[in-house]
Amino acid sequence: MNFKELDQMVGWEQEVDNIDWKSMLEDIDRALMDNLAAELGFRTYEQLEHASERIVQDYYIVYLSDGRYAWWNPLKYATEDPLYFADKEEIEQYITGLLRLDNEQRAQLRSGLARIPQMHRCIVCEYEFNPKDPERRKWDSSEERHEFCSAECAMEHVMTEMKEDFTG
């Protein structure tokens, strides 16, 4: 081995030693959570989290705009995809079997599932959103804009319609 190769190895080792592994792992975790959100149709992980109900430990349910329920876990997402259920009865049966719920617990689950709000899909960006999110009242105080996820999407829709009116 010549000195140039040895010098390159030392330089490479120093670069590896200088990597901020904690920061890199946090970036990877963040990207993974954003990917989970995108897979479920949400713009960000925070929006997915706010739209979901925690059922047990780190398992959550979200009621999607197409009528399906999704069962997901942020800690197991790297190895376990979200599960989708066609309706409330199907997910209730799954959870009842998984957690071995008795009749009283099943009644509580049924009551909880009935309170989960159904998401809507924005007609502009096509992301899922919770139409009952209190943050929406800041720009939709009349609560009449259920087709838009944000003020930006509502404005983009209005601008597109105006352009179409002018250009014919």
Side-chain angles (χ1 to χ4, degrees):
M1 181 178 281
N2 65 36
F3 289 113
K4 184 175 182 183
E5 289 175 355
L6 186 60
D7 191 39
Q8 287 175 340
M9 281 186 66
V10 170
W12 178 82
E13 287 176 358
Q14 287 175 343
E15 285 185 37
V16 169
D17 288 343
N18 291 333
I19 292 175
D20 182 356
W21 292 105
K22 183 178 180 183
S23 175
M24 183 179 288
L25 289 173
E26 287 171 357
D27 291 346
I28 291 169
D29 286 344
R30 181 85 206 135
L32 197 57
M33 292 303 98
D34 285 342
N35 189 63
L36 169 62
E39 182 176 336
L40 291 169
F42 289 83
R43 184 183 310 268
T44 67
Y45 176 72
E46 287 76 21
Q47 289 173 340
L48 168 61
E49 195 173 36
H50 290 304
S52 300
E53 292 292 326
R54 185 172 162 202
I55 300 299
V56 63
Q57 295 170 341
D58 290 307
Y59 284 94
Y60 295 82
I61 291 177
V62 64
Y63 186 15
L64 301 171
S65 63
D66 64 6
R68 295 179 303 157
Y69 286 81
W71 171 261
W72 60 276
N73 182 327
L75 301 179
K76 294 187 176 186
Y77 177 61
T79 59
E80 187 178 284
D81 287 334
L83 299 177
Y84 295 92
F85 299 88
D87 54 35
K88 189 175 3 177
E89 290 75 28
E90 194 175 299
I91 195 162
E92 180 184 325
Q93 286 177 356
Y94 175 79
I95 294 170
T96 298
L98 180 73
L99 301 178
R100 298 185 176 115
L101 302 180
D102 60 30
N103 287 338
E104 183 180 325
Q105 292 168 322
R106 188 173 186 161
Q108 290 174 343
L109 173 64
R110 188 176 297 124
S111 173
L113 289 173
R115 290 191 306 267
I116 297 174
Q118 185 173 10
M119 299 302 106
H120 286 214
R121 184 168 293 265
C122 180
I123 64 170
V124 175
C125 69
E126 298 187 358
Y127 283 115
E128 298 276 332
F129 69 95
N130 183 352
K132 298 180 191 263
D133 184 346
E135 288 293 309
R136 293 178 50 77
R137 289 194 186 104
K138 292 179 182 175
W139 64 271
D140 185 20
S141 58
S142 63
E143 297 184 29
E144 295 176 354
R145 299 288 176 199
H146 291 295
E147 62 270 16
F148 306 111
C149 68
S150 64
E152 292 79 14
C153 282
M155 193 57 122
E156 184 175 330
H157 182 74
V158 169
M159 296 301 287
T160 300
E161 285 184 335
M162 289 175 63
K163 286 179 187 177
E164 288 172 1
D165 287 346
F166 285 119
T167 60

